[in-house]
Amino acid sequence: MARIKMAYLGGGSTRAAGTMASFVHHGAEFDGSEVVLIDLDADRLALVKELADRMAKNAGLDLTVTATTDRREGLRDVDAVLSSFRPGGFEARALDERIPLKHGVIGQETQGPGGFFMALRSIQVMKQVADDLAAVAPNARIFNYTNPVNIVAQAMTSYTDIPIVSLCEGPIIFPRILAEAAGLDPDLLQTTMVGINHNCWSTEHTYDGKDLIPVLREAYEARRDDPATAEEDLRLVRLAVAMESVPSYYFLNYYFRDDVLRRLQASPTTRAEDIMAEVPGYWEHYTEQAKSAAPNLDPARSRGGIHELELAIDAMNAFYNNTGDVLPVNLPNIGGALPGFDEDVVVEVSTRVDATGFAPLPQKPLPHAVRGLVQALAEHQVLAAKAGWEGSREDAVRALAAHPLVPSLPVAEELYTEMARAHAAHLPSRLVP
């Protein structure tokens, strides 16, 4: 049982209540620990703290929860940093989604221009976090969920010596999403997913012990003319059959680009705008539950459901309690664990985690049919990390032009100028035209 001091960057966010529910759920693994909630909004911090205190007391857990808007002081002497924040809030995400659509480019939180500008904003804050840790917690380790997690990890591993891993449930949930889209039992599907975050494919895939692809092909033929099958589900199954690999659902943005773009342009609201409409209901629910002696979060009224960021807590447990668990982790491709990618490029692979650290396990190479796109996205990742950490506007335009969703240099230049000006309050002056 590890007794740690953990700082939670984003501890006043809409996801924070679910994260604390997850930490309490794993309470026996961290009994006696301290969690420092850090955020910009004092009122929401106080609410999450009250809710966490009540959840811990109800669970009989010895957990100390504090809250502060002073990031450096909150980071003092911590062992672990759980990073999950959104610079600019959902308002900035809405710009990431809305502005590219004007230029005929998909707007998305972690992909394309939207993901790129989210990365620039996130890296700007993470540089400050790195300075804070050097001053007050030089031995701390970061468990990152701040998006885009791969680019944030790429920047931090390229430019600092701070131990950091980025985490995402994608490799766990993408196969289940595909199975459900095909009308299959997700529990019978076994896969190995590798690549970069939100852009991974399977290198191994079986269904009830047999090769998955023939089963998927049969499911696709049975459902392709069924009007009851959702169009997005059918596309996902079609993509898996065509490429003979289980895809991340984010690949629909690339292989069905025109269809996705038309749908987004026709929609009256973006995903961020939809979430913003739901946010007041989340806080109303959290306020209700914070008054209960036995808080019980309703997944339908909680951002992302409950037990948020649980993979990060699993990773902390594996490291601090020396379990040796194998988890999907984003970290540098040490030893060439994933063939076809440079060793300093952050990749998403199965990783053994124990007290000695995070050791990526050797993987099969991605199939040739899908490898090139992932390699191109990895190169964009490296360019984006450089632009965010130390680059010029010219570096940033080159990074944006290198992304497969951006069709031309003129579009990259126009998009960059408009988006950089829109996000100027959250970017370093060197990147603002």
Side-chain angles (χ1 to χ4, degrees), residues 14 44 275-287 301:
T14 53
R44 289 184 173 176
I275 293 172
M276 284 191 284
E278 298 167 355
V279 164
Y282 299 150
W283 290 111
E284 180 182 347
H285 178 53
Y286 301 155
T287 301
R301 300 181 65 194

Side-chain angles (χ1 to χ4, degrees), residues 194-196 203 332-349 362-368 370-379 381-382:
V194 300
I196 65 173
T203 55
N333 191 29
I334 300 167
L338 181 57
F341 295 81
D342 293 342
E343 292 199 1
D344 60 347
V345 170
V346 170
V347 294
E348 188 167 63
V349 294
Q363 303 294 319
K364 294 180 179 179
L366 282 166
H368 283 290
V370 301
R371 191 185 311 173
L373 176 56
V374 181
Q375 288 173 327
L377 290 165
E379 292 299 330
Q381 170 182 299
V382 173

Side-chain angles (χ1 to χ4, degrees), residues 8-27:
Y8 180 10
L9 296 175
S13 68
T14 53
R15 290 192 183 275
T19 302
M20 293 311 299
S22 182
F23 200 79
V24 169
H25 178 71
H26 288 260

